[in-house]
Amino acid sequence: MNILFFNFRDRKNPAAGGSEFIIEEIAKRLVKDGHHVKLITAGFADSKPDEIVDGYEIIRLGNRWTVYWLARKYYLRNLKKWPDKVIEVVNTVPFFTKYYIRQPKILFFHQLCREIWFYQLFFPLSLIGYLVEPVYLRLLNDLPVITVSNSTKLDLECNGFRAENIIIIREGVSLQPVTLSNKSTKFKDPTILSLGSIRPMKRTLDQIKAFEMVKERFPEFRMVMAGNASGWYGHMVLKKI
């Protein structure tokens, strides 16, 4: 089977998150099962326009904002008869493949945006996104869906998706476990680790405020924060620390 993915980022993108790793883990396993897989996604600085990774082909077009239009154009010009199945990953903005692809389509949601609009975009774009999201969900709610949690399934049902059209899958990746040497020891003081991207939607500043409350009662506690602190929000976090 020929399977075509649409996603706004791939895992080599510097801004990639967990969603991209999960999607490409699925792509890798589909290839292993004998399927042919292509992924249309956005380009980034110094990225290759076309690349084979773990047996599937990545086609990079434009950037974070232009990829939606360029993906449609590329598909109609080069891939119109190629796929047997299309999987559209909806992350903030849909590709709206429903309106130009005839082959069977599946939407993949990790979560809906909702209040995330107000953390990731400035006003008034945040408000526009918040108000428009339910509208485009209604336009897509006749399509089958894959998601990863019951909470997202319930959110989709509230936007008109039928429960019988939504399948929940478990997420998994293939990673080698970290091996600890016999010399590894715990920190001397009780320590909290914050590990992940430092972005408004991750509420990193709230983690710091919570830690300050803990320190008032347990002065010996420490906190270690690991993540990319570049960008305006990262600078706010560093200033707060």
Side-chain angles (χ1 to χ4, degrees):
M1 182 181 291
N2 294 337
I3 302 173
L4 178 60
F5 282 84
F6 287 77
N7 195 11
F8 78 130
R9 287 190 298 232
D10 68 274
R11 67 184 184 186
K12 289 191 176 183
N13 192 308
S19 172
E20 284 68 56
F21 281 83
I22 296 300
I23 295 301
E24 292 184 52
E25 187 73 24
I26 294 172
K28 180 175 70 175
R29 297 187 189 197
L30 286 170
V31 170
K32 188 176 180 181
D33 289 340
H35 300 287
H36 302 282
V37 179
K38 296 180 186 286
L39 167 63
I40 292 181
T41 187
F44 52 90
D46 300 322
S47 64
K48 297 179 180 178
D50 194 288
E51 185 175 7
I52 303 296
V53 177
D54 291 327
Y56 56 90
E57 182 181 5
I58 299 178
I59 302 162
R60 299 187 179 96
L61 305 168
N63 56 42
R64 169 68 178 87
W65 304 108
T66 61
V67 64
Y68 302 98
W69 165 252
L70 293 175
R72 176 184 181 277
K73 185 177 179 181
Y74 185 92
Y75 168 82
L76 293 174
R77 181 177 296 175
N78 302 287
L79 296 174
K80 193 172 182 179
K81 297 181 179 180
W82 184 83
D84 299 304
K85 183 80 71 175
V86 172
I87 301 175
E88 177 184 340
V89 183
V90 182
N91 195 332
T92 310
V93 179
F95 283 84
F96 291 107
T97 58
K98 170 183 175 179
Y99 295 102
Y100 59 89
I101 294 179
R102 294 183 178 181
Q103 291 92 334
K105 295 166 285 294
I106 301 174
L107 302 179
F108 194 117
F109 286 89
H110 267 87
Q111 62 187 15
L112 302 188
C113 283
R114 306 319 298 137
E115 67 273 10
I116 293 175
W117 289 104
F118 298 104
Y119 290 109
Q120 292 299 113
L121 285 179
F122 55 85
F123 184 84
L125 290 182
S126 56
L127 179 60
I128 293 172
Y130 182 81
L131 295 175
V132 168
E133 184 179 24
V135 176
Y136 67 63
L137 289 174
R138 294 282 173 177
L139 294 174
L140 302 174
N141 64 19
D142 58 333
L143 295 175
V145 171
I146 296 172
T147 190
V148 298
S149 69
N150 191 57
S151 61
T152 300
K153 179 176 183 288
L154 293 175
D155 287 341
L156 290 167
E157 288 179 34
C158 290
N159 285 277
F161 288 84
R162 296 195 300 273
E164 60 270 22
N165 282 351
I166 304 173
I167 296 175
I168 299 175
I169 66 168
R170 295 183 178 182
E171 298 183 286
V173 294
S174 299
L175 296 175
Q176 288 294 328
V178 176
T179 54
L180 301 176
S181 68
N182 295 329
K183 298 180 180 179
S184 298
T185 58
K186 285 182 173 292
F187 286 115
K188 179 181 177 181
D189 299 318
T191 304
I192 300 170
L193 172 63
S194 171
L195 177 62
S197 59
I198 299 176
R199 293 185 287 164
M201 64 178 287
K202 301 299 183 181
R203 309 289 290 276
T204 313
L205 286 173
D206 288 354
Q207 295 177 40
I208 297 172
K209 293 176 183 177
F211 175 67
E212 290 175 341
M213 295 170 66
V214 172
K215 285 281 287 185
E216 291 178 1
R217 294 187 60 185
F218 305 100
E220 71 278 12
F221 261 76
R222 301 172 64 230
M223 184 175 187
V224 176
M225 187 170 291
N228 186 348
S230 62
W232 67 269
Y233 188 77
H235 291 306
M236 284 181 61
V237 169
L238 293 175
K239 185 177 180 180
K240 178 68 175 176
I241 292 172

